Amino acid sequence: MLGKNLAEVRARIAAAARAAGRSADSVTVLAMSKGHPAASIAALADAGVRDFGENYLQEALPKIGAVGRTGLVWHFTGMLQSNKSRAVAESFDWVHTVDRARIAERLNGQRPATAARLNVCVQVRTDADPRTGGCPPADLPALCQAIHALPRLRLRGLMCLPPPGDSATARRAQFHAVRDLFEQLARAGRPAAPADDAHPGLDTLSMGMSDDLELAIAEGATLLRIGTALFGARPAPIAPAAQAP
Ligand SMILES: *Cc1c(COP(=O)(O)O)cnc(C)c1O
């Protein structure tokens, strides 16, 4: 079933990329495996998926241990709490939800010296509601500059997560806004400094999920975070009490 789901997702991506005049290779599938067992991750990895995303540390760490790291890239896409940042810095290759300088500094300080730099996307708040996560657009340039200065992090791009229940029109508008911000940042960049190993430049727009991947591709997404369309419906989320440290 996973192989068939993956083929269907790849066909949707190919069609959407063609419609947008983009190459299907410009879009990577990040399989959101939260709620699904290590065996399903291993099966998708065997089918050729390399990138996996998890939201909850307590769930993710044993699964990473079981599936392993060889040839795989692990992305943390959940809410970043300060008291959990060390385990994130030690166990993941990417973090998609950096939204303030303080958490970036913690991750930088906690990233083991023996590991490669931690790849980081800044989550952008696309909704005026201050309770939703993400960096307000007005604060993005300063936050990105701060991350550029941290030697154990590599700033790769932006991430957005439209609130559940938003219409297709509202989602597309948010994807469009984030792409605009991405292009402004890439232009402002570090004009004096060429891209180098530490800062390969901004190359990642993490947006689009099972229901809206076509809209996200039309707006320039490079990394799609796909759960349900690959794995099927998730079991009920783990209760908050079970997530306590
Ligand atoms: C679960 C999750 C997704 C994937 O959602 P689906 O609708 O199941 O594809 C994407 N992004 C984040 C941050 C998630 O937690």
Side-chain angles (χ1 to χ4, degrees), residues 32 34 55 77 161 209-210 225-228 234:
M32 294 296 304
K34 63 175 190 277
N55 281 12
T77 52
L161 181 61
M209 312 195 288
S210 294
R225 305 184 311 267
I226 312 284
T228 311
R234 273 182 291 282

Side-chain angles (χ1 to χ4, degrees), residues 177-210:
V178 173
R179 186 222 186 116
D180 274 351
L181 291 166
F182 178 78
E183 287 178 348
Q184 284 167 32
L185 282 170
R187 267 198 305 276
R190 298 154 73 242
D196 56 27
D197 178 58
H199 299 293
L202 301 183
D203 59 5
T204 302
L205 256 182
S206 165
M207 57 191 199
M209 312 195 288
S210 294

Side-chain angles (χ1 to χ4, degrees), residues 30-34 36 53-56 76-79 96-97 123 159-161 171 206-213 224-234:
L30 166 51
M32 294 296 304
S33 46
K34 63 175 190 277
H36 296 285
E54 291 281 341
N55 281 12
Y56 307 106
F76 185 78
T77 52
M79 280 224 313
H96 288 233
T97 44
Q123 182 177 355
M159 178 271 210
C160 80
L161 181 61
R171 280 161 187 271
S206 165
M207 57 191 199
M209 312 195 288
S210 294
D211 288 342
D212 55 20
L213 68 88
L224 305 171
R225 305 184 311 267
I226 312 284
T228 311
L230 287 172
F231 292 102
R234 273 182 291 282

